[in-house]
Amino acid sequence: MSAPRPASATELPSPLPRPEGELEQLATVWKGPKGWRVIGEVNNTIIGYFYIAAAFLFFLLAGILGLLIRLQLAVPGNDFLSQDTYNQIFTMHGTVMMFLFAVPAVEAVGILLLPQMLGARDLPFPRLGAFAFWAYFIGGSVFFCTLFFGVAPSGGWFMYPPLTGTRFSPGIGADWWLLGIGFIEISAIAGAIEIIVGVLRTRAPGMTLARMPIFAWTMLIFAGMIVFAFPAVILATILLELERAFDWPFFIAERGGDPLLWQHLFWFFGHPEVYIIFLPAAGMVSMIVPTMAGTPLVGYRLIVVALIAVGFFSFGLWVHHMFTTGIPARSLGFFSAASMAVAIPSGIQVFAWIATIAAGRLKLPVASLFVIGFLVIFTLGGLTGVMVAMVPFDRQAHDSYFVVAHLHYVLFGGMVFPLFAAVYYWTPAFSTRPLSERLGRWAFGLIFAGFNIAFLPMHVTGLIGMPRRVYTYPAGIGWDGLNMVSTIGAFILAAGILVFLIDVARNMRLTGSHPAGDVWGANSLEWLPNHEYATRSIPRVIERDPLWQQPNLARDVEAGGYYLPGTLTGARETIVTSPIEAEPQYLMRLSGPGYAHVSAALFTASFFLLLTVKAVTLAAICGVLAVISILVWMWDSDPPSAGKVDIGGGIVLPTYASGPASHSWWAVVILLLVAAALYLSYLFGFLYLWTIAPEGWPRRSDLPSPASAWLSFAAFGFSSVLLAGAHHLLGRGARHTGLLTLVLLAGITALAGGLALDLIGHWRSGLRPQASGYAAMVYANAALQAQIIAAVVIIALFAVARLLVGRLDGSRRVVFDVLMLLWAYAIGQASFGLLLTHGFPRLVAEP
């Protein structure tokens, strides 16, 4: 086997001959199912195609809804749509664009491109990525179809209570939004976990963090922001659905709740989501500009710092959307300053792109045109963003069409234009021929002109008084002509999208034998010769722009001259590397095609959607089937060690890892960060309601006896002792299997028992969740604890099953390590919950 490339990029050895049959065996292992069976495929390329196609489908559907909105508003007094139908359509337009197109589209591009860009064969959890797609597609499709049955939500894509409470929205439209979108956000988190672990642990050897492509940096930050932002909206949907279903008054002011709590939770997610959408799009631009300018990206390190700063600042801007809700003046000043400060790191990126263009000679294919369009439109959107960050101006423009214009300039300009640029840029990497330059220029011209004709007048429409979210308006107040111009612009924009679709239909061919390849003279690894198994061998990266600075890299990679030129264990494989320096650590065997993840997605979606229509029994059955499907897919996901293997260049790696070295351990740690973010959002809500409505809290004499809390603490403490005992027993050999089984079962019983004792104590004290916002929060705490404890119980029973059949021991222990992490977290969160719901009220309550 030939040695990997030496440190010098100019001294390149000729590849040595490869063993006969090696390539055929590699192709056989990675060969995917054909025909309808392709739904069981888990290869990132196929799932990426599915994901992008579904996201564009929802983009088109939401666009059609946008055209219906513009037709309704084209002339005053229009009765083209009824008020209720219009409300459903504009709610679905915003919801589908934000939740079913924008975030899934950039996540889809990441799933498609990241393995190739990082020099990996696939992302580390192929079935998890496939599950995330099918859950999103099934749930999103059913959710969209509610429009055709007149039960779509009509409270706006932001779903503010009390409008969306049962008093003003008694139907099931709001429930479709709460359960459907909440579930779809969970699938987005699954994809984010895979992306984080993939970027940190499956980069090509030598690809240090300082050599990582900017797009990979943006996807890492994107996924990290999802981990911390999405739990807030998931909690909000849980609380509002509990209020609607069981009358727990989280948002009912007269019973100790507060509707503004929804806005705080929603916008803590909602404003970071703007940057969650923008950052990957900016990463695409940072990949396209250097290629088209023919020069390395100017200010690489500064851009990375700017990306991190944008991600950090974005979590301090949510009150930007609440300036007119009575927020104290000091808070307004802080959030106004933060809203303006975020323009600085965003501006750094814009100036870096301009400097890169100035340093080279920019070619102007269609991809470059969309990048220029992005720079123009997003800059204008950023300027209006600084305007609405000023509290006095925001008070005038709030809830007017000026904000609608600003929103679209930021989101469409900042995400959709780069996405079109990316499609034209990366299509040759996967299609047998690139898209048409002639049709592309027509598409760009129509989209750019149509967008500005549609949305530029809305700034004026809003400033002269037109409020958003109205389905009609009277004639003669100066809005008529501007609305007609906007409607004409919307249809010009739609014509540009239609030209793009014609271009895709005529020229995109993803099933040919060989893609068109690197027609641009690009600099990054995704342009290496690509197959079902990604690259023939995995290169060692020694420069930031490897295809420019290692000129024979493509030749040697395709000849099998680097790492892992075949399959060493007879399975799909990729190399796991260290998170910072990307040095090889072990060989990971990847999951292959199957159907358990598809059935898990189907039954999970069915569980949530059936709850919406109150089919509780059927929902419970589907929930059980979903859990069974997940356990079936996990059963073979921890294969035993196949010994050590030589991946090339004399590097010998193990084929199994556990503990912190394992990619699974990293994934569970990230999942626990999601759980912690969810609980911190709950903690914010608990303390917020205390500050807003302290009179609704019980007196000290009305609180439950502290005996129940002490009993619960004792149960959790006993469970922690058993946790330590289980960890000790696993390494003692098969003769302790029976004792270990008993310890695991006793431990989860103690954990669940501690929660039950806490609930019994509150119930016996007379506290009922319908009584007040405080009482509802106490029981919501129990619901969150039950959620994590249920996961611990299921994984513990799964571990016991594996233990009894010999699939879990001291060396084959990934499932056990996962259980230990979840168990320890559950004990910690439950104990903190006891302090919060028992100790804090005693501390602040009146005697």
Side-chain angles (χ1 to χ4, degrees):
M1 184 170 291
S2 62
R5 182 177 305 283
S8 171
T10 58
E11 300 174 6
L12 304 175
S14 298
L16 296 179
R18 305 303 317 154
E20 186 176 351
E22 181 182 66
L23 181 58
E24 290 74 12
Q25 185 183 16
L26 181 65
T28 300
V29 165
W30 284 87
K31 185 176 178 61
K34 304 299 180 185
W36 68 267
R37 294 180 180 83
V38 74
I39 64 172
E41 180 58 285
V42 295
N43 186 303
N44 76 284
T45 302
I46 302 301
I47 296 302
Y49 292 161
F50 286 169
Y51 234 134
I52 291 173
F56 263 99
L57 172 63
F58 286 122
F59 172 69
L60 295 175
L61 293 173
I64 292 170
L65 298 181
L67 292 178
L68 295 177
I69 292 171
R70 288 314 318 162
L71 283 173
Q72 170 65 19
L73 295 175
V75 293
N78 199 354
D79 60 359
F80 173 66
L81 298 174
S82 68
Q83 181 176 357
D84 185 60
T85 301
Y86 179 87
N87 287 341
Q88 290 188 35
I89 286 175
F90 100 81
T91 298
M92 291 294 283
H93 168 74
T95 300
V96 173
M97 280 294 191
M98 295 298 290
F99 294 101
L100 298 182
F101 164 63
V103 174
V106 292
E107 195 163 64
V109 174
I111 288 174
L112 178 65
L113 289 179
L114 279 176
Q116 286 87 340
M117 195 175 283
L118 299 174
R121 289 268 160 80
D122 205 335
L123 291 172
F125 304 103
R127 287 181 183 170
L128 182 64
F131 167 82
F133 163 72
W134 288 112
Y136 149 73
F137 181 65
I138 295 169
S141 299
V142 174
F143 174 72
F144 188 85
C145 288
T146 58
L147 264 176
F148 304 119
F149 299 95
V151 293
S154 58
W157 74 275
F158 34 79
M159 292 293 288
Y160 287 167
L163 177 62
T164 52
T166 52
R167 180 180 176 185
F168 299 105
S169 298
I172 63 171
D175 300 301
W176 279 110
W177 194 99
L178 294 169
L179 289 167
I181 295 303
F183 161 65
I184 290 166
E185 297 309 282
I186 293 172
S187 76
I189 289 173
I193 292 172
E194 181 171 40
I195 287 171
I196 292 173
V197 179
V199 171
L200 291 177
R201 299 304 308 278
T202 62
R203 303 194 304 277
M207 185 183 281
T208 65
L209 291 179
R211 295 172 185 161
M212 196 164 71
I214 287 290
F215 180 72
W217 270 109
T218 60
M219 291 306 298
L220 179 62
I221 298 167
F222 155 90
M225 292 174 69
I226 285 178
V227 164
F228 292 106
F230 278 37
V233 76
I234 291 173
L235 177 72
T237 59
I238 291 172
L239 298 186
L240 185 51
E241 185 57 31
L242 286 173
E243 179 179 296
R244 290 179 56 85
F246 303 112
D247 194 32
W248 295 12
F250 300 104
F251 307 107
I252 300 174
E254 56 267 29
R255 289 160 61 190
D258 187 0
L260 283 184
L261 174 59
W262 171 274
Q263 290 198 38
H264 280 290
L265 293 173
F266 183 86
W267 289 117
F268 187 80
F269 142 82
H271 204 90
E273 189 187 29
V274 173
Y275 298 98
I276 286 171
I277 294 166
F278 164 68
L279 288 181
M284 298 173 199
V285 172
S286 291
M287 301 299 292
I288 295 170
V289 167
T291 298
M292 295 306 173
T295 189
L297 182 66
V298 172
Y300 171 93
R301 293 179 184 272
L302 198 58
I303 288 177
V304 171
V305 172
L307 291 169
I308 296 171
V310 168
F312 177 78
F313 278 129
S314 70
F315 285 93
L317 308 180
W318 81 92
V319 177
H320 174 102
H321 299 265
M322 302 172 62
F323 283 167
T324 60
T325 59
I327 300 293
R330 185 171 298 175
S331 298
L332 290 179
F334 170 81
F335 286 103
S336 177
S339 299
M340 289 181 279
V342 77
I344 297 172
S346 299
I348 288 172
Q349 296 177 76
V350 172
F351 284 112
W353 296 325
I354 294 172
T356 304
I357 291 171
R361 173 172 291 184
L362 184 68
K363 296 176 287 189
L364 287 175
V366 174
S368 294
L369 295 179
F370 275 106
V371 166
I372 293 170
F374 151 76
L375 288 171
V376 172
I377 292 175
F378 181 74
T379 300
L380 291 174
L383 291 173
T384 58
V386 173
M387 293 169 69
V388 295
M390 305 287 186
V391 176
F393 182 85
D394 184 78
R395 290 185 185 276
Q396 304 303 315
H398 189 74
D399 273 348
S400 75
Y401 260 78
F402 185 94
V403 177
V404 176
H406 160 69
L407 174 75
H408 285 83
Y409 265 79
V410 170
L411 294 181
F412 199 101
M415 182 266 174
V416 178
F417 271 80
L419 189 62
F420 277 108
V423 171
Y424 277 92
Y425 176 70
W426 274 296
T427 289
F430 301 95
S431 170
T432 56
R433 60 189 184 196
L435 297 179
S436 166
E437 284 294 309
R438 182 175 61 87
L439 288 175
R441 289 176 185 276
W442 274 100
F444 167 75
L446 290 169
I447 291 171
F448 185 81
F451 176 84
N452 285 286
I453 293 170
F455 293 102
L456 193 61
M458 289 184 189
H459 294 94
V460 179
T461 311
L463 290 177
I464 62 176
M466 184 170 179
R468 62 196 300 195
R469 307 167 196 150
V470 293
Y471 85 105
T472 191
Y473 54 92
I477 54 177
W479 303 346
D480 313 31
L482 291 169
N483 273 295
M484 178 58 74
V485 170
S486 290
T487 299
I488 292 170
F491 277 88
I492 295 172
L493 170 61
I497 303 293
L498 179 61
V499 173
F500 166 77
L501 292 175
I502 293 171
D503 192 4
V504 169
R506 289 185 58 183
N507 295 295
M508 187 176 287
R509 298 291 182 270
L510 302 175
T511 57
S513 56
H514 297 289
D518 185 9
V519 300
W520 312 116
N523 59 346
S524 47
L525 295 183
E526 74 273 18
W527 294 103
L528 291 171
N530 235 309
H531 311 276
E532 277 189 305
Y533 44 82
T535 55
R536 168 67 198 283
S537 57
I538 296 176
R540 173 167 283 275
V541 175
I542 61 174
E543 301 287 352
R544 189 177 294 154
D545 299 303
L547 294 192
W548 287 350
Q549 296 166 322
Q550 298 171 244
N552 294 320
L553 186 64
R555 180 201 72 186
D556 293 346
V557 164
E558 184 66 3
Y562 284 89
Y563 302 117
L564 204 60
T567 175
L568 300 176
T569 65
R572 297 183 179 188
E573 304 153 340
T574 196
I575 300 171
V576 175
T577 54
S578 58
I580 297 176
E581 295 298 324
E583 289 304 319
Q585 292 189 325
Y586 69 95
L587 186 70
M588 182 201 310
R589 285 162 290 172
L590 299 164
S591 302
Y595 299 101
H597 61 279
V598 180
S599 65
L602 176 62
F603 289 126
T604 305
S606 299
F607 169 74
F608 282 92
L609 299 174
L610 287 168
L611 283 179
T612 304
V613 295
K614 308 301 186 285
V616 177
T617 303
L618 280 176
I621 293 171
C622 288
V624 172
L625 292 175
V627 171
I628 292 172
S629 298
I630 292 171
L631 296 179
V632 168
W633 118 36
M634 289 174 58
W635 188 253
D636 294 318
S637 62
D638 183 28
S641 173
K644 294 187 175 182
V645 293
D646 186 342
I647 64 167
I651 296 180
V652 177
L653 297 179
T655 54
Y656 192 88
S658 60
S662 166
H663 61 286
S664 299
W665 187 92
W666 281 64
V668 175
V669 169
I670 297 166
L671 178 62
L672 293 182
L673 290 176
V674 174
L678 182 69
Y679 197 75
L680 286 172
S681 299
Y682 163 80
L683 176 62
F684 168 83
F686 186 90
L687 297 177
Y688 175 82
L689 289 187
W690 170 63
T691 61
I692 293 297
E695 66 279 359
W697 284 45
R699 293 180 176 273
R700 194 171 300 156
S701 58
D702 297 328
L703 292 169
S705 167
S708 65
W710 286 114
L711 287 172
S712 294
F713 268 123
F716 296 148
F718 181 56
S719 182
S720 65
V721 171
L722 294 173
L723 169 68
H727 191 274
H728 174 73
L729 284 171
L730 184 66
R732 299 292 296 274
R735 66 183 183 278
H736 291 93
T737 295
L739 180 58
L740 178 56
T741 299
L742 289 175
V743 168
L744 289 174
L745 295 177
I748 60 175
T749 302
L751 189 60
L755 176 62
L757 288 169
D758 181 40
L759 275 172
I760 290 169
H762 284 297
W763 190 265
R764 291 183 64 182
S765 72
L767 189 69
R768 299 295 182 268
Q770 296 82 8
S772 66
Y774 161 77
M777 276 293 180
V778 168
Y779 282 88
N781 173 73
L784 293 179
Q785 309 300 356
Q787 190 179 56
I788 196 75
I789 289 173
V792 172
V793 169
I794 292 170
I795 298 297
L797 295 175
F798 181 69
V800 167
R802 293 181 67 88
L803 184 67
L804 294 176
V805 299
R807 286 175 171 250
L808 191 154
D809 54 40
S811 57
R812 190 180 180 185
R813 55 176 297 154
V814 166
V815 172
F816 186 80
D817 292 339
V818 166
L819 173 61
M820 293 297 101
L821 284 170
L822 285 171
W823 194 345
Y825 176 83
I827 291 172
Q829 180 176 290
S831 300
F832 182 83
L834 286 175
L835 291 174
L836 182 67
T837 57
H838 287 269
F840 183 76
R842 289 185 182 280
L843 186 66
V844 301
E846 296 181 2

